Amino acid sequence: MERTLSILKPDATRRNITGAINAKIEASGLRIIAQKRIRLSVEEAQQFYAVHKERAFYDDLCKFMTSGPVVVQVLEGNNAVEHYRTVMGATNPANADEGTIRREFAESLEANSAHGSDSSENAENEIKFFFSDIEIVA
Ligand code: GDP
């Protein structure tokens, strides 16, 4: 069993499709063991995406991630990190496989509906960033 951090991004909350995305997550076999709707501050978004600080899209990305509510989640399942990356699809929805969250729901490369941790080490840190132990109920 492994855990990963998921964020349903502001484009998903704005279009009221978080339930549709959750249905896809659950149908894939992953279990949502923690979930809350929050509004990120600019400082939180900058800290969360600090690895991308030098990238040209960093400021735009932080602005987008604070443009509306997000739903942060802990997902659990076999090989959850890699499995959720597959369920989400490629970063750019134009390159995402049929049936993936991003292919089905993303608006653009930036507004791509979902975030998923890219390694189990990052997953652990990202989960701690948003959740305390008592908020996670496996
Ligand atoms: P991910 O792990 O698939 O989410 O992709 P990355 O870690 O490379 O990028 C983080 C997030 O930044 C992506 O999910 C997009 O929302 C956004 N992003 C990535 N590349 C670009 C880009 O070239 N332009 C813009 N505006 N946003 C981008």
Side-chain angles (χ1 to χ4, degrees), residues 9 49 52 57 60-61 85 91 102 109-110 112 115-116:
K9 296 185 180 184
Y49 280 113
H52 292 312
F57 61 81
D60 281 345
L61 176 61
R85 300 284 300 184
T91 308
R102 284 165 166 173
L109 169 58
E110 179 177 84
N112 60 1
H115 164 87

Side-chain angles (χ1 to χ4, degrees), residues 25-81:
I25 289 170
E26 292 182 337
S28 83
L30 290 163
R31 196 168 281 270
I32 301 165
I33 60 169
Q35 174 168 258
K36 59 189 173 188
R37 181 176 168 107
I38 58 171
R39 181 81 182 248
L40 288 175
S41 67
V42 174
E43 292 73 24
E44 286 166 336
Q46 286 172 341
Q47 200 185 333
F48 184 78
Y49 280 113
V51 289
H52 292 312
K53 207 159 50 189
E54 308 305 328
R55 310 284 287 275
F57 61 81
Y58 177 69
D59 286 343
D60 281 345
L61 176 61
C62 292
K63 204 168 162 188
F64 165 62
M65 290 300 289
T66 58
S67 67
V70 296
V71 175
V72 290
Q73 310 173 306
V74 181
L75 309 182
E76 187 175 73
N78 289 326
N79 210 11
V81 169

